[in-house]
Amino acid sequence: MRDPRPPLLLTRPEPQAGRFAAEMRSRFGGDWPVVIAPILRIEPVAADLPAADWRVFTSENAVAAHGAGCGPAYCVGERTAVAARAAGFEVVVTEPDAARLIPRLIALRPARRGLVLRGRHAAAEIAERLNS
């Protein structure tokens, strides 16, 4: 007999896809059909980062690529904030998405130089919005 439940197709990179699948199965049933087929990979690139007094992290992957540090951090998402704290940063603001973080940053007007760490593909152009 065919399973009446539609399979869940996850296209996020690992480990996020695996984590989401586990959360979904714990909520809706451990045998729910799941297909994990990432459409991209997270591959940190080597870069000489400019000096910064504060940072914006758009994902836990951005924190991992940056590595340990200190100073103020503004984060997109609670998982990102947890990763930033674990890496030694002082999380000042956490918002669920970039669209909500941008106006908070504009209102706070952090002093000096900031650095936005994000992937090539982004939902919002945070640095461009802040610079404008």
Side-chain angles (χ1 to χ4, degrees):
M1 175 176 219
R2 187 170 173 226
D3 192 331
R5 299 168 300 177
L8 175 64
L9 174 62
L10 298 176
T11 59
R12 296 198 70 180
E14 283 288 356
Q16 290 85 5
R19 185 172 56 223
F20 185 88
E23 291 172 3
M24 190 268 191
R25 283 179 168 150
S26 74
R27 184 171 180 185
F28 296 105
D31 61 343
W32 194 285
V34 174
V35 175
I36 296 178
I39 58 174
L40 55 99
R41 286 186 312 272
I42 304 299
E43 293 184 0
V45 295
D48 290 327
L49 299 177
D53 300 298
W54 50 274
R55 287 156 184 78
V56 173
F57 292 111
T58 61
S59 71
E60 59 190 313
N61 294 314
V63 177
H66 181 281
C70 62
Y74 302 84
C75 299
V76 175
E78 192 55 43
R79 285 190 199 280
T80 306
V82 168
R85 283 185 196 98
F89 292 94
E90 173 198 346
V91 175
V92 178
V93 171
T94 303
E95 288 292 343
D97 54 47
R100 293 183 200 171
L101 182 62
I102 292 167
R104 291 280 307 272
L105 282 165
I106 291 169
L108 289 169
R109 299 178 93 50
R112 301 193 176 127
R113 300 165 296 186
L115 179 63
V116 177
L117 293 112
R118 52 158 259 200
R120 178 179 296 169
H121 307 285
E125 300 294 336
I126 298 172
E128 290 79 359
R129 290 277 312 276
L130 295 177
N131 285 330
S132 69

